[in-house]
Amino acid sequence: MQQKVIEIIAEIKEEPGLLQTLNGASDLTLDAALDSLQIINFILRIEDEFDIEVDFDTFDLEHLKSVDRFSAYVAGLTVR
Amino acid sequence: MRKAVHCGSLESERYWREEDLAALPSIPDARALAIVQAMDEMLFVFCRSGDILLTRHGMDQAQYDYLQSLKYSFKTNMNPLILGAQEPDTDQNALNVFELLGRLGPGQEPDRLIPEGSLLEPFAVLPGTEEAVRRYKLLPGLPDEQTVRTVNTKTYSAAMRDRLSLPNIARIVHSVEELLQSGQELLEKGSFLIKDEYGVSGKGNQLVDSDRMLRRIAGYLESSRNKDKRIRFVLEPLLNRETDFSCQFHIDAEGQISILSVQQLVNHGFAFGESHSPEPTLLETLNREGYWEIMHNIGRELYADGYHGDVCVDSMLLRDGSLAPLVEINARKSMSLIKHNIDRHLKHEGMHTCLIQVPLATMGEVCYGELLQRLEEAGILFSPAEGEGVIPLSSGTLQPQVPSRSAGSAKGKLYASLAYRNEDRKNRLTGKLEESLLRNGYTILR
């Protein structure tokens, strides 16, 4: 899942170079520099990819502290 | 000359938005809000000698001293505007600066700074502006708040295209069913945007490129978050843009319209990136296409509807060479007007200028004065003698105050104006600026 998350970030940012520079520890808002609009588009793409639904109103920005943390959050939604 | 008080909240659309309007998906971001709230420092560019600037957080002394050295001669509050014990349950950050001023206890800095009978020069007229005018005995004469709200909606801009017989690609939807129907029709031809009534660049404009995404947005609008709320969005096919630019003009109280400037924008995605003076080829196109007459017509209609003051109209040049003169009306001051006013102040022959923003992160406390010193040591801090260099425009946006910030890095932005003789010099300035920021402990976010 981690690799897929990174691929979607690179797609949203339109920066293929991120495929090489991002890893599990990368912060999505600092290292990947996703801005508020890109975060929404990123989550919508993730929903599409993993067939999940994120609750925007309760979504905690702490989930974006690393690719690994975000992947764990998505994994938690997929098993429900 | 009568003194003016300059003050405002640059996130104006947040305060105009009616509570009962349904909203597109968004994630509350206190750090992003903190940056925008600190941008009010940049309103110093509108100050004439002896004017007063009021800011939410107070300006760093080093920035104030630097601006004075550039012959910006104004008075300002050096301390944050803070509600006292009489308002224990109020969330300060939910208030715009006028609401904050209206609720301040007596004897605070603004009481000493604001001369009675001054003129208020707001960034935009917001809820609370009229109360602030009364409380500080400022001159009346601003347009009515409800008028300002109305003329800043996306539906108003869309209707204006019809009023002026301009091509109008907008569809207004008032229900989820209409959204789905119009959205599916638009998707047959390509991606489209859903625009919130008070959306701004970076927030409130949702790009839809698939039926699944359209249905997801529709589902969100039907969720409990939006239960019983009014649906009103503008849908527009995504334009194939070549150049974003905007026109700044002023409508005085008698309805006289003065075109002030055009600024070209380099946007990153839908967010503001860099603003610079227009290329001669763009100006030729505008002259040829009767653009100025369209701007005057927009101004006349706005005045007829009860608005006067500053206006920024967003426009686009499209890849097929055609012009979209009216993308959106912003009946307020703007970042491009800030850029224009810096240009007026510099007035150097043969010098180019641009306004940039650099997203940053920091791990620990950073001293703003040290950054200014580092820029000076690197030989890139603008001085009137040199006539070239970097002018940092705000101290508070670099490390804004976020309530209950968790440990770790903080996000901020540097807003700066660059004055340069040619592109080589500009590249040298930006290179050295980035180097200085890194040395001062900032990480640049791209």
Side-chain angles (χ1 to χ4, degrees), chain A residues 6-61:
Chain A
I6 291 172
E7 280 173 30
I8 293 174
I9 296 170
E11 179 193 316
I12 295 284
K13 295 289 295 182
E14 297 178 14
E15 278 182 43
L18 290 174
L19 294 172
Q20 270 72 53
T21 56
L22 297 182
N23 56 43
S26 302
D27 186 309
L28 279 72
T29 60
L30 297 179
D31 301 312
L34 288 173
D35 64 28
S36 52
L37 192 64
Q38 288 166 340
I39 290 170
I40 298 293
N41 287 324
F42 166 70
I43 291 175
L44 289 170
R45 276 286 291 115
I46 290 284
E47 285 188 338
D48 206 357
E49 184 67 34
F50 296 101
D51 198 21
I52 55 164
E53 199 158 291
V54 170
D55 184 343
F56 286 100
D57 300 324
T58 58
F59 184 82
D60 188 345
L61 288 173

Side-chain angles (χ1 to χ4, degrees), chain B residues 127-408:
Chain B
T129 306
E130 280 179 35
E131 285 81 348
V133 165
R134 280 196 293 273
R135 153 130 192 214
Y136 294 96
K137 300 187 171 60
L138 302 168
L139 284 186
L142 293 169
D144 165 65
E145 180 199 320
Q146 191 50 46
T147 302
V148 177
R149 270 180 203 265
T150 305
V151 299
N152 277 288
T153 59
K154 298 291 180 293
T155 47
Y156 182 86
S157 289
M160 182 66 81
R161 294 180 199 144
D162 286 339
R163 284 164 71 173
L164 300 180
S165 304
L166 296 170
N168 191 1
I169 52 167
R171 297 179 182 208
I172 297 164
V173 295
H174 298 91
S175 68
V176 170
E177 293 72 31
E178 284 179 21
L179 169 69
L180 284 168
Q181 193 185 334
S182 288
Q184 275 154 356
E185 287 166 17
L186 287 167
L187 274 176
E188 284 172 16
K189 292 181 184 159
S191 303
F192 71 94
L193 285 172
I194 305 179
K195 294 182 168 182
D196 182 277
E197 273 289 59
Y198 297 99
V200 288
S201 60
K203 196 176 178 189
N205 287 340
Q206 182 63 53
L207 179 66
V208 177
D209 58 7
S210 69
D211 188 58
R212 179 173 171 133
M213 189 183 274
L214 173 61
R215 290 186 179 284
R216 175 68 177 99
I217 303 285
Y220 183 78
L221 293 173
E222 283 175 330
S223 69
S224 56
R225 161 75 173 75
N226 283 304
K227 194 169 161 31
D228 298 329
K229 297 213 168 175
R230 274 187 304 136
I231 290 183
R232 200 168 62 203
F233 295 104
V234 174
L235 311 190
E236 289 183 1
L238 188 63
L239 293 173
N240 203 0
R241 68 177 166 189
E242 175 72 31
T243 307
D244 279 310
F245 63 98
S246 64
C247 177
Q248 293 70 51
F249 60 85
H250 184 82
I251 311 169
D252 73 16
E254 279 73 48
Q256 195 70 33
I257 296 156
S258 313
I259 304 279
L260 302 174
S261 83
V262 164
Q263 302 293 336
Q264 211 165 317
L265 304 170
V266 179
N267 283 329
H268 298 142
F270 294 112
F272 174 81
E274 179 183 315
S275 172
H276 58 88
S277 302
E279 310 285 346
T281 51
L282 175 63
L283 291 175
E284 282 165 26
T285 305
L286 302 187
N287 288 335
R288 202 174 51 239
E289 299 282 333
Y291 179 79
W292 312 113
E293 186 55 30
I294 296 171
M295 294 302 114
H296 274 275
N297 289 340
I298 292 171
R300 277 191 282 274
E301 296 295 322
L302 278 166
Y303 186 72
D305 288 340
Y307 181 79
H308 63 272
D310 290 300
V311 182
C312 175
V313 174
D314 293 340
S315 309
M316 270 187 209
L317 192 61
L318 305 181
R319 288 249 161 87
D320 65 4
S322 63
L323 190 67
L326 170 49
V327 174
E328 187 175 315
I329 296 166
N330 300 290
R332 53 167 171 72
K333 291 186 168 65
S334 59
M335 289 297 287
S336 292
L337 189 63
I338 288 174
K339 152 85 170 55
H340 167 68
N341 271 51
I342 298 166
D343 291 355
R344 277 182 54 198
H345 188 79
L346 297 179
K347 278 191 245 152
H348 277 264
E349 279 295 317
M351 200 65 77
H352 303 279
T353 57
C354 70
L355 196 153
I356 59 163
Q357 59 164 325
V358 187
L360 302 165
T362 49
M363 286 305 286
E365 281 291 315
V366 180
C367 174
Y368 182 78
E370 283 173 15
L371 175 64
L372 285 185
Q373 200 176 338
R374 196 176 291 275
L375 296 179
E376 191 169 16
E377 285 164 7
I380 58 167
L381 185 67
F382 180 91
S383 69
E386 285 289 321
E388 195 176 27
V390 179
I391 307 174
L393 299 175
S394 64
S395 54
T397 55
L398 276 89
Q399 204 167 35
Q401 299 166 15
V402 183
S404 65
R405 197 178 83 203
S406 57

Side-chain angles (χ1 to χ4, degrees), chain B residues 28-92:
Chain B
D29 186 349
R31 293 188 297 189
L33 175 62
I35 294 172
V36 189
Q37 287 188 331
M39 286 170 72
D40 58 1
E41 268 185 51
M42 288 194 269
L43 301 180
F44 77 84
V45 303
F46 299 111
C47 291
R48 290 174 297 269
S49 180
D51 279 356
I52 295 97
L53 170 70
L54 293 176
T55 68
R56 180 182 284 267
H57 296 304
M59 188 178 281
D60 188 285
Q61 184 69 47
Q63 175 71 353
Y64 181 73
D65 293 343
Y66 172 61
L67 295 177
Q68 298 287 317
S69 77
L70 301 187
K71 299 191 168 45
Y72 281 104
S73 169
F74 60 93
K75 294 176 185 167
T76 191
N77 57 309
M78 307 309 285
N79 299 303
L81 306 177
I82 296 176
L83 296 179
Q86 78 281 6
E87 300 262 6
D89 299 323
T90 308
D91 175 9
Q92 283 225 164

Side-chain angles (χ1 to χ4, degrees), chain B residues 54 101 104-116 135-136:
Chain B
L54 293 176
L101 280 168
L104 284 181
Q108 293 214 37
E109 253 182 315
D111 284 338
R112 295 191 293 277
L113 283 169
I114 302 175
E116 206 173 295
R135 153 130 192 214
Y136 294 96

